[in-house]
Amino acid sequence: MRAILTLLAVLSAPFPVSAQSALPDGFVHLAGVAPTIRQDIRYAGSRNFLGRPVAGYLAGECILTRRAAEALARAQAEIAPRGLTLVVWDCYRPATAVADMMAWTRDATDQRMKAVFYPGIDKARLSVEGYLSSRSTHSRGSTVDLGIARAGAVPGFASGACTAPAGQRLDDGALDFGTSYDCFDPAAHVRAPGIGREAAANRAMLASLMQRNGFRAYAKEWWHFQLVNEPFPARVFDFPVVRRGQR
């Protein structure tokens, strides 16, 4: 009987939320700094290249260093008068999530999202080609994946290959950037040829906006930007992504 009561006490004990979900000093939820930026955090759900939530993402929230969040707020203020908004797809990424992604690349049996996110490349080559890495700058908290959308726009129902023409490919609810987000293909390279005049202009607009606000681009992903003056250039963090207000 005593053993049963002990077990019940353990099971009913409150979960130590504050110990496991408080943000480290220097980190903030983007919604608390720039609430008008649209958030569509893909790795918290199944609309991503794994086809499932990624380890470490307990909520669809953008967390960044305060310095990076404030830089995004300035970028948002710059484009908002034009009826546009930033839309973020990934922000801080726990080291646990990075390890989960790398383990996925080694599972040759899981090809369920190939037709959408990496239709033209062998899954085993994703890290070799520079699309995924065992050490992500996202884990330092000052790197963000994002695009630009028209204010009020929402994703449609198209779900074709990320390289398909606009209106047929997976719809991010963003302007036409030539591919969908997280498209592991040469067409996603910043200066990829043949993506069309409108997509090229939108990529240039996004890159210029981010550079003016302190970020640098990554040549193989038009959506990926890293804060130049990041506060934790040598740190790797592994706290979970939690919803705002959870402490």
Side-chain angles (χ1 to χ4, degrees):
M1 184 66 177
R2 180 176 298 175
I4 294 175
L5 291 175
T6 300
L7 177 60
L8 290 173
V10 171
L11 293 176
S12 63
F15 185 77
V17 173
S18 61
Q20 297 192 26
S21 62
L23 302 187
D25 289 344
F27 282 80
V28 296
H29 284 87
L30 178 64
V33 176
T36 63
I37 293 178
R38 186 178 305 161
Q39 297 192 29
D40 180 12
I41 307 302
R42 294 295 182 80
Y43 302 143
S46 59
R47 202 163 177 257
N48 58 58
F49 62 89
L50 282 80
R52 59 168 174 79
V54 180
Y57 286 82
L58 306 185
E61 290 270 7
C62 174
I63 295 173
L64 289 168
T65 62
R66 178 172 291 279
R67 193 177 297 173
E70 290 175 348
L72 285 189
R74 292 191 293 271
Q76 177 78 344
E78 184 176 335
I79 63 170
R82 299 164 57 186
L84 301 172
T85 180
L86 295 176
V87 51
V88 294
W89 295 302
D90 192 36
C91 301
Y92 157 72
R93 184 183 304 170
T96 294
V98 177
D100 189 17
M101 291 176 179
M102 296 308 294
W104 170 84
T105 66
R106 297 188 291 271
D107 181 3
T109 66
D110 186 351
Q111 300 285 343
R112 54 185 154 164
M113 304 304 290
K114 177 176 176 58
V116 176
F117 289 97
Y118 52 108
I121 185 172
D122 190 297
K123 176 181 178 179
R125 293 195 58 81
L126 291 177
S127 60
V128 177
E129 298 290 340
Y131 295 109
L132 294 172
S133 172
S134 59
R135 288 181 64 86
S136 172
T137 60
H138 282 275
S139 298
R140 305 203 295 257
S142 295
T143 294
V144 61
D145 293 343
L146 81 173
I148 297 174
R150 293 182 180 85
V154 296
F157 296 101
S159 58
C162 64
T163 53
Q168 300 177 33
R169 61 175 174 259
L170 183 71
D171 191 344
D172 296 320
L175 302 180
D176 180 9
F177 285 95
T179 72
S180 302
Y181 164 61
D182 252 3
C183 188
F184 300 144
D185 190 273
H189 297 184
V190 173
R191 299 188 181 279
I195 61 168
R197 182 177 299 178
E198 180 180 352
N202 288 335
R203 290 187 186 188
M205 175 174 62
L206 176 62
S208 178
L209 172 72
M210 296 300 287
Q211 289 164 7
R212 285 195 301 274
N213 287 281
F215 292 85
R216 61 170 169 260
Y218 174 51
K220 291 191 174 183
E221 297 175 346
W222 58 258
W223 56 80
H224 178 111
F225 293 89
Q226 178 182 345
L227 190 69
V228 174
N229 188 25
E230 60 180 312
F232 304 112
R235 294 283 301 277
V236 173
F237 292 89
D238 197 27
F239 60 91
V241 175
V242 295
R243 65 180 178 273
R244 187 182 178 204
Q246 185 176 346
R247 291 290 186 268

